[in-house]
Amino acid sequence: MANFFSASQEEQQEILLSFWQKYRYALIASLLLIALAIVGRDYLQTSTLEDNLNSASQYQEYIEAETDQKALGEKILQSYPDSIYSDFVRLNEAKRNYIDGDFDASINLLIYILENKSMSPSEFDPIIAVAQTRLAKIYIEQQNFNEVISIFESTGEMTSSMHELKGDAHNGLGQFSLARESFMLALQNSTNQTARAIINMKISDLESEEVE
């Protein structure tokens, strides 16, 4: 490089020409890679934005639909299976199936959400929390108490409802001390007076059961 700067203009041109002839293919390839990377990045950003807008629009249509809502939901699930709107559809369809008495279909949808979303003990994910809570309520109704406890085993941050459901499960298994512990945690995390009154009643019922 020192020779280049100390050379005359003609020598510099000759050095550049020699350098170009020697490395032109590598330089062209590098420039093409850079151009492709920029185009690819811009395409992905544009494509992602369009997908988000389209999925949001379709979800709005799904929510507002008075007929064929299930078909619209299936369309979202097929077109954008990994989007947050597909999880919203699954949660809504799980609720619909539960109301219709199809517990198995509801359970399958909720389990799908939990199995396909990454769960971090240190981060609270509201979609996971809703899916866990609804699934636990179904299992409580079916008296599958061990399944309820299993749902919350790897959950770091739990809501009052989660603690209460876990307490119900322990109570159903006759594990009264563990049930009390869960109910107390539910009480600590609840600001709703009606919910607190119900939890206090459950704690009182535990005391009577332990005496018996």
Side-chain angles (χ1 to χ4, degrees):
M1 188 60 68
N3 292 335
F4 177 79
F5 287 110
S6 62
S8 66
Q9 185 174 357
E10 291 181 357
E11 289 172 333
Q12 288 178 6
Q13 291 176 350
E14 186 177 345
I15 291 171
L16 287 172
L17 181 59
S18 175
F19 181 83
W20 170 251
Q21 289 176 342
K22 186 175 181 179
Y23 297 107
R24 63 182 182 277
Y25 295 116
L27 289 170
I28 292 171
S30 298
L31 290 172
L32 283 173
L33 286 174
I34 293 171
L36 286 172
I38 293 172
V39 171
R41 181 199 62 190
D42 292 343
Y43 171 78
L44 287 175
Q45 289 177 344
T46 303
S47 178
T48 300
L49 178 60
E50 288 179 355
D51 284 348
N52 287 339
L53 290 173
N54 288 335
S55 57
S57 176
Q58 289 187 28
Y59 180 72
Q60 184 68 25
E61 183 182 356
Y62 162 79
I63 288 297
E64 295 176 351
E66 296 182 359
T67 59
D68 297 328
Q69 189 179 54
K70 187 176 180 64
L72 291 171
E74 287 295 332
K75 182 179 178 181
I76 295 173
L77 295 179
Q78 291 175 6
S79 301
Y80 312 100
D82 300 323
S83 75
I84 189 172
Y85 297 105
S86 284
D87 286 331
F88 289 158
V89 169
R90 292 183 185 102
L91 287 173
N92 194 59
E93 290 301 316
K95 180 180 179 181
R96 186 207 304 276
N97 288 328
Y98 174 81
I99 293 173
D100 292 341
D102 192 349
F103 289 177
D104 289 341
S106 182
I107 288 171
N108 288 336
L109 285 168
L110 296 171
I111 289 177
Y112 181 93
I113 293 174
L114 297 177
E115 289 182 345
N116 288 274
K117 287 186 70 68
S118 56
M119 298 174 62
S120 173
S122 60
E123 295 181 3
F124 181 80
D125 187 324
I127 292 178
I128 290 177
V130 171
Q132 287 177 319
T133 301
R134 292 184 181 180
L135 184 58
K137 287 180 178 179
I138 295 174
Y139 283 147
I140 287 289
E141 190 167 337
Q142 295 179 332
Q143 297 188 354
N144 292 333
F145 302 123
N146 285 314
E147 294 289 349
V148 176
I149 295 170
S150 178
I151 289 172
F152 300 124
E153 277 182 351
S154 59
T155 303
E157 187 175 348
M158 292 176 58
T159 65
S160 176
S161 295
M162 290 176 173
H163 284 299
E164 184 179 356
L165 287 165
K166 190 175 180 181
D168 290 336
H170 283 303
N171 186 28
L173 293 170
Q175 300 168 340
F176 302 129
S177 60
L178 292 175
R180 176 188 297 278
E181 181 181 330
S182 291
F183 287 145
M184 292 301 294
L185 289 169
L187 201 60
Q188 291 173 17
N189 285 275
S190 177
T191 57
N192 183 285
Q193 293 302 315
T194 302
R196 290 175 63 85
I198 293 173
I199 295 167
N200 276 317
M201 289 176 59
K202 290 182 178 181
I203 293 173
S204 298
D205 290 341
L206 282 178
E207 292 175 353
S208 62
E209 288 176 358
E210 288 175 333
V211 168
E212 293 176 2

